[in-house]
């Protein structure tokens, strides 16, 4: 493990990779600062720019954008009451009241340190846990890997945001899109409907750029950029000793909570920040101050958010299962570079596996250095006019998609997906889950077919192995846990309606 | 953000919202049905020797099942499944149509005219800038991105018709 980490640092400390770690976290912070432009849209826009890079450098760069954006998302949340991304929503609860009290600078400093500690604790966990999980996963066969991917899919669908029905539609729609093209085993065409451009399937870049980049542009333009005024000048005040004392346990607790929630498929930054905030509110002596500018509440949300973004790499790097949409796009980036994320990654591509982990140590330190003295500079980015930003994003998106296969069809497809993504956003269908379905579909199909070949077409193979049986039970529990409360609610609602109807009849 | 959400929530029950929700559901049902038909025609085979159409068939059945649940919720009056329509003119429709037009015209016009026009629409119509400022921003943005890709990354795209 130590040898691996040392070799990872050798990769991450090469001048090129250090530069891309720096660029990644810098761009990530800017992305986090700009309201609306989340890490998903940003990584989608930047993905084509990484083609000319080596696989390890590309992933190091894109990972930097991801955790950098988690770091930067707190700035508009605290100063403007506008979350840079969904995981920063909880940050506004206490961050903005603190800024209104003239303590914006202190709040930003505390959250920067909290994010650093959360990220570091999670990195240590990632370093020790990832190889162990990877070693266990290497011994798994197609039935186990199929059931594991299916379990991950159920987790994301049932636990993730958007509700089970909408997520279910998104995930199956995404899987169906992945089917388009050539059959991986026979080479026959599937669902191409005579389009020559679809023989190689739908490429992930137009899909992601459309669903997130273009859809984001459409959402942004809907109300003519009603973002409001930029932030006021930031007062240079630093946290007091009392502030540090009040947040120390909150930061540690949130680091642990964020780490574990990040590992769970469907968890991620938003869930971890909500859980950490709720937990801290219960255990804190200042519980009544939460929502009115509690420093420990603020520290817990941002710490958990950053801890989860780091630990979410564990299922991707070790099992090949992206736990959230951003990592699904990162998985897509790995596949674009002919690298398959999963149990074999540590053995076959140790430079990527350990290089990414080591780069995160460097990136976390760079983020802290960038965010403490340069916070005023990032605040100024909030004043970039939105129409200018939109125009640049549109140009980047068109060129980025075209550069993949030199196909105008892909560009048109991106715009169509943009409108679909806009529709999804309006009705609350989580497009991120669609991407997870799109990424996992070929994995599921491959393992399912191999399992069927192994068992000569008998589904009993999934009931004969302890791991698959455990995972089936897990899926069953997940489904029941999701359905039972709804049935209960419906029954209760029905009983209430009947009771009210009877009551009104009596009155009449 | 909260303001905008509440603004949308107020208009969830509008006839347009309902129409769009039913249209979206119809789109998913159509996709699922066409995929089922196509998968069956490709051949399903059996589990020991799966046909090319088996996997798409299974997925389309899943999609249609989810659509059924969606339809039950929608027709049962669940507001969460209704399309929220913002009040006033929706500029996203304008930009959406503009992007589709650019997507279709790009092979004919080349990159620079198409993207300049799109940037102009965004800055002038939606952003409310003067026409000269809009044109300037659109040309500079389109040319800068072109320069980055062509000279920085050696990726070619037809600049003009």
């Amino acid at each position: 493990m130590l040898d691996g980490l040392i070799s990872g640092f050798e990769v991450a400390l090469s001048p090129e990779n250090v530069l891309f770690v720096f660029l990644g976290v810098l761009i990530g912070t800017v992305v986090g600062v700009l309201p609306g432009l989340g890490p998903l849209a940003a990584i989608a826009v930047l993905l084509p720019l990484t083609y000319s890079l080596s696989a390890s450098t590309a992933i190091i760069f894109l990972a930097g954008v991801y955790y950098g954006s988690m770091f930067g998302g707190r700035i508009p949340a605290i100063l403007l009451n506008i979350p840079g991304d969904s995981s920063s929503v909880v940050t506004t609860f206490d961050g903005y009241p603190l800024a209104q009290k003239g303590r914006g600078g202190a709040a930003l400093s505390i959250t920067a340190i909290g994010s650093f500690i959360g990220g570091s604790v999670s990195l240590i966990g990632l370093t020790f846990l990832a190889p162990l999980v990877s070693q266990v996963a290497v011994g798994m066969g197609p039935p186990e890997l199929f059931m594991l991917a299916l379990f991950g899919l159920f987790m994301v669908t049932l636990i993730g945001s958007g509700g089970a029905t909408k997520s279910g539609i998104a995930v199956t729609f995404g899987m169906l899109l992945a089917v388009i093209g050539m059959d991986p085993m026979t080479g026959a065409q599937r669902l191409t409907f005579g389009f020559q451009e679809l023989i190689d399937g739908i490429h992930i870049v137009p899909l992601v750029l459309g669903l997130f980049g273009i859809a984001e542009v459409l959402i942004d333009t809907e109300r003519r950029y009603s973002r409001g005024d930029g932030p006021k000048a930031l007062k240079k005040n630093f946290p007091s000793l009392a502030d540090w004392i009040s947040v120390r346990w909150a930061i540690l607790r949130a680091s642990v909570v964020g780490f574990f929630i990040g590992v769970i498929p469907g968890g991620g930054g938003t869930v971890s920040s909500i859980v950490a905030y709720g937990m801290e509110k219960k255990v804190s002596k200042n519980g009544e101050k939460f929502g009115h500018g509690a420093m420990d509440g603020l520290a817990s949300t941002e710490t958990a958010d950053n801890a989860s973004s780091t630990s979410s790499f564990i299922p991707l790097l070790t099992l090949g299962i992206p736990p959230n949409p951003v990592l699904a796009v990162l998985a897509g980036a790995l596949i674009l570079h002919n690298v398959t994320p999963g149990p074999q990654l540590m053995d076959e591509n140790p430079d990527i596996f350990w290089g990414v982990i080591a780069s995160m140590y460097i990136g976390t330190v760079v983020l802290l250095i960038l965010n403490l003295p340069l916070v005023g500079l990032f605040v100024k980015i909030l004043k970039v006019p939105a129409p200018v930003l939109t125009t640049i994003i549109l140009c980047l998106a068109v060129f980025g998609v075209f550069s993949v296969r030199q196909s105008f069809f892909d560009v048109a497809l991106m715009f169509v997906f943009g409108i679909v993504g806009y529709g999804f956003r309006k009705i609350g269908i989580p497009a991120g889950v669609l991407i997870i379905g799109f990424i996992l579909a070929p994995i599921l199909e491959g393992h399912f077919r191999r399992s069927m070949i192994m068992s000569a077409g008998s589904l009993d193979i999934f009931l004969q192995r302890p791991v698959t049986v455990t995972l089936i039970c897990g899926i069953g529990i997940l489904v029941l846990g999701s359905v039972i409360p709804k049935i209960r609610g419906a029954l209760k609602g029905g009983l209430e309606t009947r009771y009210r109807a009877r009551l009104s009849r009596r009155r009449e | 953000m909260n303001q905008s959400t509440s603004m949308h929530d107020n208009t969830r029950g509008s006839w347009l919202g309902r129409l769009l929700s039913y249209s979206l559901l119809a789109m998913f049902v159509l996709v699922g049905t066409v995929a089922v038909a196509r998968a069956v025609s490709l051949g399903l085979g059996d589990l020991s020797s799966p046909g090319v159409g088996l996997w798409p068939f299974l997925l389309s059945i899943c999609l249609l099942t989810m659509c059924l649940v969606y339809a039950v919720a929608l027709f049962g009056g669940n507001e969460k499944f209704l399309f929220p329509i913002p009040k006033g003119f929706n500029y996203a429709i304008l930009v959406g149509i503009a992007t589709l037009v650019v997507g279709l015209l790009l092979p004919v016009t080349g990159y620079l005219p198409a993207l300049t026009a799109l940037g102009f629409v965004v800055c002038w119509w939606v952003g409310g800038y003067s026409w000269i400022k809009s044109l300037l921003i659109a040309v500079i943005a389109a040319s800068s991105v072109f320069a980055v890709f062509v000279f920085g990354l050696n990726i070619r795209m037809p600049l003009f018709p």
Side-chain angles (χ1 to χ4, degrees):
Chain A
M1 187 188 300
L2 205 62
D3 291 341
L5 192 62
I6 291 167
S7 69
F9 271 107
E10 282 169 10
V11 173
L13 284 171
S14 72
E16 190 192 16
N17 285 338
V18 169
L19 175 71
F20 277 97
V21 168
F22 178 78
L23 282 176
V25 296
L26 182 67
I27 294 171
T29 309
V30 172
V31 165
V33 168
L34 291 168
L37 189 70
L40 206 50
I43 290 174
V45 171
L46 293 167
L47 190 58
L49 293 171
T50 63
Y51 292 151
S52 52
L53 304 175
S54 69
S56 54
T57 308
I59 303 307
I60 283 171
F61 171 65
L62 295 175
V65 175
Y66 174 44
Y67 55 82
S69 71
M70 294 289 140
F71 225 89
R74 75 195 204 290
I75 298 174
I78 292 170
L79 298 180
L80 290 178
N81 203 25
I82 299 171
D85 53 65
S86 61
S87 62
S88 300
V89 172
V90 192
T91 309
T92 60
F93 296 174
D94 288 291
Y96 190 60
L98 280 166
Q100 282 183 314
K101 289 174 192 168
R103 304 216 63 212
L108 286 171
S109 302
I110 289 268
T111 48
I113 301 280
S115 300
F116 172 74
I117 295 171
S120 304
V121 168
S122 201
L123 257 176
I124 294 165
L126 171 66
T127 308
F128 286 95
L129 199 62
L132 293 177
V133 178
S134 197
Q135 275 166 12
V136 173
V138 164
M140 290 180 178
E144 285 88 355
L145 291 171
F146 169 77
M147 212 40 89
L148 198 64
L150 195 66
F151 179 74
L153 215 53
F154 267 92
M155 283 273 264
V156 169
T157 308
L158 296 173
I159 296 177
S161 60
T165 310
K166 289 176 183 176
S167 297
I169 285 180
V171 94
T172 42
F173 190 58
M175 290 172 82
L176 213 47
L177 288 178
V179 164
I180 295 171
M182 267 194 293
D183 177 70
M185 290 199 176
T186 62
Q189 286 183 36
R190 296 191 299 193
L191 310 180
T192 54
F193 300 102
F195 283 97
Q196 293 295 312
E197 294 87 348
L198 289 176
I199 289 174
D200 289 334
I202 291 175
H203 202 278
I204 189 169
V205 173
L207 180 67
V208 170
L209 267 172
L211 285 176
F212 300 101
I214 303 299
E216 191 66 57
V217 163
L218 295 180
I219 290 283
D220 227 19
T221 54
E222 194 173 65
R223 307 304 308 167
R224 296 191 86 174
Y225 307 109
S226 50
R227 189 194 288 179
D229 298 329
K232 291 169 192 165
L234 191 63
K235 283 182 186 173
K236 280 187 181 174
N237 58 24
F238 292 99
S240 63
L241 187 64
D243 285 333
W244 288 117
I245 291 171
S246 73
V247 300
R248 67 193 193 285
W249 293 117
I251 286 175
L252 282 177
R253 278 190 287 266
S255 300
V256 178
V257 169
F259 174 78
F260 284 108
I261 292 178
V263 177
I264 302 168
T270 311
V271 178
S272 66
S273 57
I274 293 169
V275 172
Y277 187 78
M279 192 189 75
E280 202 53 45
K281 193 176 178 182
K282 276 185 185 163
V283 298
S284 171
K285 290 171 190 168
N286 306 319
E288 75 287 350
K289 284 187 186 169
F290 275 52
H292 306 285
M295 201 60 100
D296 44 353
L298 176 67
S300 67
T301 61
E302 275 302 308
T303 306
D305 183 14
N306 283 273
S308 70
S309 71
T310 306
S311 63
S312 60
F313 279 82
I314 293 176
L316 175 69
L317 294 177
T318 59
L319 305 172
I321 296 171
N324 61 50
V326 182
L327 289 203
V329 179
L330 277 178
L334 278 168
I335 294 164
L336 282 178
H337 283 89
N338 296 320
V339 177
T340 311
Q344 306 293 339
L345 185 69
M346 194 173 82
D347 292 330
E348 289 174 3
N349 300 90
D351 56 325
I352 295 175
F353 185 89
W354 288 109
V356 170
I357 293 176
S359 76
M360 289 165 99
Y361 281 97
I362 301 165
T364 310
V365 176
V366 174
L367 271 174
L368 186 68
I369 296 167
L370 277 176
N371 272 266
L372 283 178
L374 297 182
V375 70
L377 198 70
F378 289 123
V379 170
K380 282 187 181 151
I381 293 165
L382 283 167
K383 299 194 177 199
V384 172
V388 176
L389 198 68
T390 302
T391 308
I392 294 170
I393 289 173
L394 285 170
C395 294
L396 277 172
V398 167
F399 227 116
V401 166
F402 184 80
S403 66
V404 180
R405 299 195 280 203
Q406 278 74 49
S407 162
F408 285 115
F409 181 83
D410 279 352
V411 177
L413 205 60
M414 170 188 73
F415 287 132
V416 171
F417 282 130
I419 289 169
V420 172
Y422 172 73
F424 275 20
R425 286 275 292 272
K426 296 302 295 177
I427 207 162
I429 293 178
V433 180
L434 185 151
I435 298 294
I436 295 180
F438 185 82
I439 293 287
L440 282 182
I443 297 169
L444 275 164
E445 185 184 6
H447 290 317
F448 180 72
R449 279 183 162 190
R450 277 187 282 276
S451 305
M452 288 302 100
I453 290 167
M454 279 169 71
S455 67
S458 169
L459 288 170
D460 287 349
I461 194 168
F462 297 114
L463 301 171
Q464 290 164 350
R465 296 167 173 239
V467 176
T468 51
V469 171
T470 312
L471 288 166
I472 289 170
C473 291
I475 292 172
I477 292 167
L478 275 174
V479 173
L480 287 176
S482 162
V483 171
I484 288 174
K486 281 181 187 164
I487 293 173
R488 251 191 217 166
L491 285 175
K492 202 180 165 191
L495 285 173
E496 265 181 26
T497 318
R498 258 187 263 164
Y499 175 73
R500 276 183 194 158
R502 198 183 292 170
L503 208 68
S504 64
R505 257 182 270 140
R506 272 188 200 168
R507 276 179 194 158
E508 280 166 13
Chain B
M1 187 175 272
N2 292 337
Q3 264 180 341
S4 117
T5 310
S6 64
M7 183 168 57
H8 293 155
D9 285 348
N10 290 338
T11 55
R12 272 184 191 273
S14 71
W15 66 270
L16 188 60
R18 283 183 189 280
L19 182 72
L20 285 171
S21 305
Y22 297 143
S23 309
L24 203 68
L25 175 64
M27 185 197 84
F28 284 125
V29 172
L30 185 73
V31 168
T33 312
V34 169
V36 165
R38 194 82 191 103
V40 171
S41 72
L42 284 169
L44 301 181
D46 54 48
L47 286 177
S48 56
S49 57
V52 177
L54 182 65
W55 186 249
F57 176 78
L58 293 174
L59 292 177
S60 351
I61 292 296
C62 285
L63 181 64
L64 287 174
T65 311
M66 297 311 297
C67 284
L68 188 70
V69 180
Y70 184 101
V72 168
L74 192 61
F75 290 108
N78 191 335
E79 291 239 319
K80 280 183 198 165
F81 289 81
L82 287 174
F83 206 105
I85 305 296
K87 285 173 187 167
F89 185 72
N90 186 350
Y91 284 83
I93 296 171
L94 177 79
V95 179
I97 293 169
T99 58
L100 282 180
V101 171
V102 164
L104 291 172
L105 290 183
L106 202 60
V108 184
T109 62
Y111 167 82
L112 198 61
L115 267 292
T116 303
L118 186 57
F120 182 79
V121 166
V122 169
C123 293
W124 182 63
W125 218 330
V126 188
Y129 290 172
S130 69
W131 71 269
I132 185 85
K133 194 177 173 186
S134 302
L135 192 65
L136 215 61
I137 292 171
V139 169
I140 291 171
S143 316
S144 318
V145 172
F146 185 83
V148 167
F149 274 86
V150 173
F151 302 115
L153 300 164
N154 202 23
I155 295 163
R156 301 278 158 194
M157 186 193 247
L159 188 59
F160 290 109

